[in-house]
Amino acid sequence: MGPHTAVVITGASRGFGRAVAVAMAREWVCQLTLMLVARSSESLQETAAMLLRERSKTEGIEMPMDQSMAVSVAAVDLRNLEETEAWAKQAVDKLKGLAPDRIILVNNAGTIGGLGCIQEIESIKEMQTEMDLNVTSAMYITAAFARKFGAPRADRLHAEENGHAGAAAGGMGMPPAPPRPQTFIINVSSLAAREPFQSWGMYCAGKAAREIFHAALAKEQAHCDSFYVLNYAPGPMDTAMQAEIRNSEATFQPLREASTQAFEDGNLVRPEDSANKLLQLIEDAEFISGSHLDFYDDMPGDEEDGEEEEEEEDEEDEAEEEEGETKEEPANTSPRTSLSS
């Protein structure tokens, strides 16, 4: 069995959050503690039942089922900030008490919100509710995890004064830092965090705010070798959110048409495929903390191979041009070019 891994997944009642939970139950033979969070208790229970079914099929587990995986659900309305704060404090305290070897937060909950042009926004209350879910609650949950499992500011200041290695090893008369669990903070991001999409103004703003917040956290924890932050864009997935985009008349028409075309052509990403890629990113832990990675991006570590292939292709192109031949580039039909992750 691998290390004891404790995971918190927000928005685990459906879509990508559910897919990540199912993939972990199916693929990871380590001792697992899964805490599932969403607004719908009934849907969370359905996810929990799926995990148990998947776990029973997993090979290589050397302990009884009830010891290999523990699943708990928490029906929390993440639009309610007081409720979110109370739950987050309890959750990190519980995780700390479990003393796992690895802790993972998948900050996934969110909503596409009110679609439409910015000039059509009328209710400040509706704006605030959307931001409370997409931004404030996500940021607070991350902050609670960083407070409990990140390296304290004193370690960072010492590292800046005496060198990164000095803080980890003790050095300069300072006692060694206590062992900390390997911690992964996964912010489920989007292409909309980096590019503006008409009729998605509020959603883009929320995703951009979350991404820069998590990138800042990565810099603050850069001296902690066991703390990882990743902004992961799972791609335009075949979920309820994409259905809402293509079915809403408020969606900017070209985006609506692109979403519909991708759905009809079967080009939307399957949530389980994107979940499997995220698990591999966590297992490899080769990404730069705080970076943005998309489902369509190469895996970290594959860049060198890609560069070599590009060099070979360039040489081939040059040779063909010398012979008077040219290659026609295929049209880019990837949904990534027209749809947000």
Side-chain angles (χ1 to χ4, degrees):
M1 293 289 286
H4 178 196
T5 298
V7 187
V8 173
I9 304 174
T10 67
S13 60
R14 61 178 184 171
F16 185 61
R18 173 179 281 180
V20 171
V22 169
M24 288 178 174
R26 181 181 60 243
E27 301 295 336
W28 286 354
V29 298
C30 59
Q31 182 184 354
L32 268 178
T33 298
L34 288 161
M35 300 172 65
L36 312 178
V37 187
R39 191 168 36 157
S40 170
S41 177
E42 182 178 352
S43 296
L44 283 173
Q45 294 293 346
E46 291 174 1
T47 300
M50 292 174 68
L51 301 187
L52 293 174
R53 288 196 296 271
E54 288 297 325
R55 193 64 168 179
S56 66
K57 305 172 188 175
T58 303
E59 298 180 358
I61 298 176
E62 300 172 353
M63 61 174 63
M65 173 74 72
D66 59 350
Q67 296 179 27
S68 77
M69 185 179 73
V71 181
S72 62
V73 301
V76 181
D77 186 350
L78 298 177
R79 301 171 302 179
N80 184 319
L81 299 185
E82 291 183 359
E83 189 176 338
T84 299
E85 181 178 5
W87 166 78
K89 289 178 177 178
Q90 292 175 0
V92 295
D93 285 343
K94 180 178 179 180
L95 288 175
K96 187 79 171 180
L98 293 173
D101 303 293
R102 180 170 61 175
I103 291 172
I104 301 168
L105 167 64
V106 182
N107 224 333
N108 168 67
T111 176
I112 190 67
L115 294 164
C117 294
I118 292 171
Q119 69 189 77
E120 297 168 355
I121 297 173
E122 296 182 357
S123 170
I124 196 169
K125 185 176 181 179
E126 290 179 3
M127 289 180 72
Q128 187 63 60
T129 299
E130 186 174 330
M131 283 298 182
D132 285 345
L133 172 58
N134 283 351
V135 181
T136 310
S137 67
M139 287 182 175
Y140 182 80
I141 293 167
T142 287
F145 271 74
R147 188 166 57 248
K148 187 67 69 172
F149 304 112
R153 179 182 291 189
D155 284 10
R156 176 164 60 89
L157 295 175
H158 184 77
E160 291 171 354
E161 292 172 2
N162 301 290
H164 180 85
M172 302 298 290
M174 186 176 182
R180 295 187 181 88
Q182 191 180 39
T183 302
F184 291 85
I185 305 293
I186 309 299
N187 171 47
V188 177
S189 188
S190 168
L191 186 60
R194 300 193 151 203
E195 294 185 18
F197 288 84
Q198 294 184 62
S199 71
W200 297 6
M202 288 287 292
Y203 182 72
C204 292
K207 285 295 186 182
R210 278 172 61 154
E211 177 137 337
I212 202 68
F213 179 85
H214 285 83
L217 173 62
K219 285 187 175 292
E220 292 174 358
Q221 292 291 324
H223 61 289
C224 183
D225 294 332
S226 60
F227 198 95
Y228 302 81
V229 182
L230 175 63
N231 291 301
Y232 177 66
M237 294 178 293
D238 189 7
T239 61
M241 183 177 288
Q242 276 292 329
E244 188 175 350
I245 290 167
R246 63 177 176 269
N247 293 330
S248 173
E249 294 184 359
T251 301
F252 182 53
Q253 191 60 26
L255 286 178
R256 189 180 182 190
E257 291 172 359
S259 178
T260 300
Q261 191 67 50
F263 174 73
E264 292 176 350
D265 293 346
N267 287 334
L268 293 177
V269 177
R270 297 193 313 161
E272 53 267 38
D273 291 339
S274 193
N276 287 334
K277 178 158 187 174
L278 176 58
L279 265 60
Q280 192 62 57
L281 286 165
I282 293 171
E283 286 287 281
D284 294 348
E286 293 182 350
F287 57 85
I288 297 172
S289 187
S291 60
H292 174 107
L293 288 175
D294 190 282
F295 172 76
Y296 293 104
D297 291 337
D298 292 333
M299 292 290 291
D302 291 348
E303 289 87 349
E304 293 182 4
D305 294 339
E307 289 173 2
E308 291 176 2
E309 290 175 3
E310 286 179 9
E311 288 177 3
E312 291 175 1
E313 289 175 0
D314 289 343
E315 290 174 0
E316 290 175 3
D317 290 345
E318 289 174 4
E320 289 175 357
E321 285 173 6
E322 288 175 3
E323 295 173 6
E325 298 178 4
T326 57
K327 281 188 177 180
E328 242 183 66
E329 291 293 327
N332 189 345
T333 57
S334 167
R336 181 185 188 180
T337 60
S338 54
L339 293 175
S340 168
S341 298

